[in-house]
Amino acid sequence: MGEEHESLERFLTWAAQLGISDSTTTNNHPHHSLSSSLSVSHFPHSGGRGLGAVRDLKRGELILRVPKSALMTRDSVMEDKKLCFYVNNHSSLSPTQILAVCLLYEMGKGKTSRWYPYLMHLPQSYDILAMFGEFEKHALQVDEAVWVTEKAVLKAKSEWKEAQALMEELKLKPRLLTFKAWVWAAATISSRTLHVPWDEAGCLCPVGDLFNYDAPGEEPCNVGNGEDLLSNSSVNVTDLSNGGNTMMVDSEQLDSHSQRLTDGGFEEDANAYCFYARAHYKKGDQVLLCYGTYTNLELLEHYGFLLHENPNDKVFIPLEPAVYSSSSWSKESLYIHHNGRPSFALLAALRLWATPQNKRRSVGHLAYAGSQLSPENEIFIMKRLSETCYAVLQNMPTCIDDDNLLLNAIDCQDFYTFTGFTKLMSSKDEIHTFLEAHDMKDAHSFADKILSKNTRRCMDRWKLGIQWRVRYKKVLVNCISYCNEILDSFMK
């Protein structure tokens, strides 16, 4: 812990030298970038390492400023003439691919890189879907999630192969030419870059990427369960103007909708990336940043964590083909909300689908307005929706109770406790597959393997897969309860 603290202090001192500061006055803490508004803290149950308030913070207050010169972008890294020369010969690579190569190039410089103090504080590994192996991928259980994972892995491999020639020309070290290194760089960019107006790839923002995630749609309370992460470069976080020297954003600018997506942005006037408190925080609270609206599967894909209560989560269920053709709603709008309630579009589409085709035109305006068409129609669609959710649950390899037992087993570090949980489960295939894959035959081999970083990382991703499918199943269970409540209301 002592070495880690010293390393952090060196990093914050380096950041201060670049002009990164959480103070609203210049040169208040010339030797330390944080201490006026924020501090690096550990929040074990809500995101791990993050930023905490060292004083009461007001919503809309400027809490961190990172000068443009401190941002790691393609332009700033390609001030290296050798890198610039070779990159310019590979115009077919995307901006994100080039930034990934730039990141690996700087990593290869070691202590001679100007970014070395920052690079040493990046996570050594991530849990994004592109890093999921076959076992962890199938732990998701749902076809849609498995397909998204396969697509993420194929995309990462394709982009890695396309960038190979450039990386070889740059004579990167062998370990930096591997797919493992490439996925690490791609994950760093996916999970930590911020939007900037001049570069599609975004920027890496020292200190600014220590904020943990707060989902839009609720008061700040939900954060990721992984490392400190920041936004995907594809997320355009709307800029806030602080009006010159004014340190508070006008409250009318921070209405309940726009405020959720406007807690950080690059400001031309300040020539810096500026972060604002998105809520009132008490001293000691974790200060959070919203960087977009994501489902849990999207959070896993881009950031490597999920929320146990995500107000923006969605569950899609198989529907009759005629449901899609009976209305003009897009497939993406036909889903079940995180609380189990069917979306507005799903209800409207089901109501029209359950209406005889020759009568749809006469009642279409009612369905599109969100109105019930008749008691008989509503009872029919609620029964069908409940039956569909139940059928999906029945076809899953495990039930929620088994999943929860499995999560408890993963949390333990003892072979006998681990195998003891399996005796309580109705389905033991998954846990036996894991033990066999990692050659954990007995207590001795289990104790040896469990200390391996690779085994622990696989376990962590397995756990994320189980947590995701539990949330998916709970939404279906809640939808069944919702349908039953509606049906009961018609019986009264």
Side-chain angles (χ1 to χ4, degrees):
M1 289 296 291
E3 290 183 6
E4 183 179 343
H5 178 73
E6 290 179 9
S7 176
L8 177 62
E9 289 300 307
R10 286 195 296 271
F11 167 62
L12 295 176
T13 299
W14 170 84
Q17 292 169 352
L18 295 180
I20 299 173
S21 176
D22 67 342
S23 174
T24 56
T25 59
T26 58
N27 297 323
N28 192 27
H29 298 283
H31 302 300
H32 205 293
S33 59
L34 300 180
S35 65
S36 175
S37 302
L38 305 167
S39 67
V40 179
S41 305
H42 190 68
F43 302 91
H45 302 295
S46 54
R49 188 176 64 173
L51 293 175
V54 298
R55 59 178 176 84
D56 290 353
L57 301 175
K58 294 182 179 179
R59 176 182 170 210
E61 180 180 359
L62 178 65
I63 53 175
L64 182 67
R65 182 190 287 112
V66 181
K68 182 178 181 180
S69 58
L71 302 176
M72 188 175 183
T73 64
R74 286 187 300 161
D75 289 345
S76 63
V77 177
M78 287 202 301
E79 290 174 4
D80 183 303
K81 293 182 179 179
K82 174 186 174 183
L83 177 64
C84 184
F85 173 79
Y86 285 108
V87 166
N88 287 338
N89 291 331
H90 292 268
S91 58
S92 62
L93 296 178
S94 70
T96 303
Q97 283 174 295
I98 292 173
L99 184 56
V101 173
C102 290
L103 177 57
L104 291 171
Y105 181 77
E106 287 298 318
M107 288 294 292
K109 288 183 176 180
K111 292 183 179 180
T112 63
S113 170
R114 62 174 288 206
W115 307 102
Y116 179 75
Y118 170 64
L119 297 176
M120 291 302 98
H121 276 271
L122 291 175
Q124 295 182 356
S125 63
Y126 297 89
D127 294 322
I128 63 170
L129 290 182
M131 288 184 152
F132 273 42
E134 284 294 308
F135 177 79
E136 300 100 270
K137 176 185 74 175
H138 289 294
L140 294 162
Q141 294 186 347
V142 180
D143 288 345
E144 174 203 0
V146 172
W147 177 80
V148 169
T149 304
E150 289 173 344
K151 193 171 88 168
V153 173
L154 289 173
K155 180 175 181 287
K157 287 183 176 178
S158 174
E159 292 181 342
W160 168 60
K161 290 177 181 177
E162 291 169 356
Q164 276 288 303
L166 172 57
M167 294 191 290
E168 288 173 359
E169 289 172 8
L170 290 168
K171 293 181 170 58
L172 295 188
K173 297 175 181 178
R175 64 180 178 84
L176 297 176
L177 292 172
T178 63
F179 179 63
K180 181 180 179 181
W182 176 262
V183 179
W184 173 85
T188 298
I189 292 166
S190 173
S191 64
R192 305 182 80 84
T193 50
L194 289 162
H195 169 78
V196 287
W198 68 87
D199 193 334
E200 184 183 333
C203 71
L204 289 167
C205 183
V207 181
D209 61 1
L210 294 175
F211 288 102
N212 274 318
Y213 175 70
D214 181 34
E218 290 189 346
E219 290 300 310
C221 61
N222 292 322
V223 295
N225 63 355
E227 280 287 339
D228 44 284
L229 302 163
L230 256 192
S231 75
N232 186 303
S233 58
S234 64
V235 181
N236 187 339
V237 185
T238 309
D239 292 350
L240 280 178
S241 172
N242 66 2
N245 296 322
T246 304
M247 292 303 158
M248 295 294 293
V249 179
D250 189 277
S251 60
E252 292 183 2
Q253 292 177 297
L254 295 172
D255 59 72
S256 60
H257 172 70
S258 66
Q259 180 263 344
R260 296 186 184 124
L261 295 176
T262 54
D263 40 15
F266 184 81
E267 299 183 5
E268 296 288 349
D269 292 345
N271 199 32
Y273 219 100
C274 297
F275 299 85
Y276 298 85
R278 68 187 312 267
H280 298 304
Y281 293 102
K282 294 291 185 181
K283 181 179 178 179
D285 287 349
Q286 181 172 191
V287 181
L288 303 169
L289 178 69
C290 173
Y291 34 88
T293 301
Y294 295 96
T295 65
N296 272 341
L297 188 59
E298 290 167 337
L299 286 174
L300 268 183
E301 180 181 4
H302 299 295
Y303 301 98
F305 69 84
L306 51 78
L307 302 178
H308 295 294
E309 294 296 332
N310 185 352
N312 303 298
D313 210 8
K314 300 174 183 177
V315 163
F316 294 89
I317 56 173
L319 299 169
E320 298 280 350
V323 174
Y324 301 112
S325 60
S326 63
S327 69
S328 60
W329 296 106
S330 66
K331 287 186 178 181
E332 291 73 22
S333 64
L334 308 181
Y335 60 86
I336 301 171
H337 287 285
H338 75 289
N339 58 8
R341 292 176 176 267
S343 67
F344 181 94
L346 177 56
L347 277 178
L350 288 172
R351 285 164 178 160
L352 279 176
W353 165 71
T355 300
Q357 195 165 0
N358 62 348
K359 295 183 179 180
R360 287 177 186 170
R361 178 169 292 186
S362 63
V363 298
H365 66 288
L366 295 174
Y368 282 103
S371 300
Q372 294 183 13
L373 303 186
S374 71
E376 294 77 18
N377 179 281
E378 201 71 9
I379 290 171
F380 177 81
I381 67 167
M382 287 299 156
K383 285 183 177 179
R384 181 56 65 92
L385 186 56
S386 176
E387 290 168 356
T388 302
C389 289
Y390 182 76
V392 171
L393 286 170
Q394 289 298 106
N395 286 327
M396 301 287 269
T398 59
C399 63
I400 292 177
D401 288 342
D402 275 358
D403 291 339
N404 286 328
L405 285 172
L406 202 48
L407 289 172
N408 288 329
I410 291 173
D411 285 336
C412 79
Q413 300 278 322
D414 176 73
F415 176 78
Y416 296 107
T417 306
F418 192 80
T419 53
F421 274 110
T422 65
K423 296 175 182 178
L424 303 173
M425 297 169 57
S426 58
S427 175
K428 303 172 176 60
D429 291 345
E430 189 172 2
I431 204 163
H432 286 156
T433 300
F434 179 83
L435 291 173
E436 290 174 6
H438 293 271
D439 198 25
M440 294 177 170
K441 300 175 182 177
D442 50 36
H444 180 72
S445 59
F446 184 91
D448 285 343
K449 295 285 185 177
I450 205 71
L451 297 175
S452 160
K453 284 186 177 180
N454 288 337
T455 302
R456 287 305 310 171
R457 184 56 65 182
C458 180
M459 258 187 156
D460 289 342
R461 292 172 187 153
W462 181 22
K463 183 176 180 178
L464 283 170
I466 298 169
Q467 288 174 331
W468 182 84
R469 77 197 195 204
V470 166
R471 292 306 313 149
Y472 180 94
K473 293 170 188 177
K474 284 185 176 179
V475 171
L476 296 180
V477 170
N478 289 338
C479 185
I480 293 172
S481 296
Y482 169 79
C483 293
N484 289 338
E485 288 176 10
I486 299 297
L487 291 170
D488 288 343
S489 69
F490 282 104
M491 302 302 173
K492 294 179 180 179

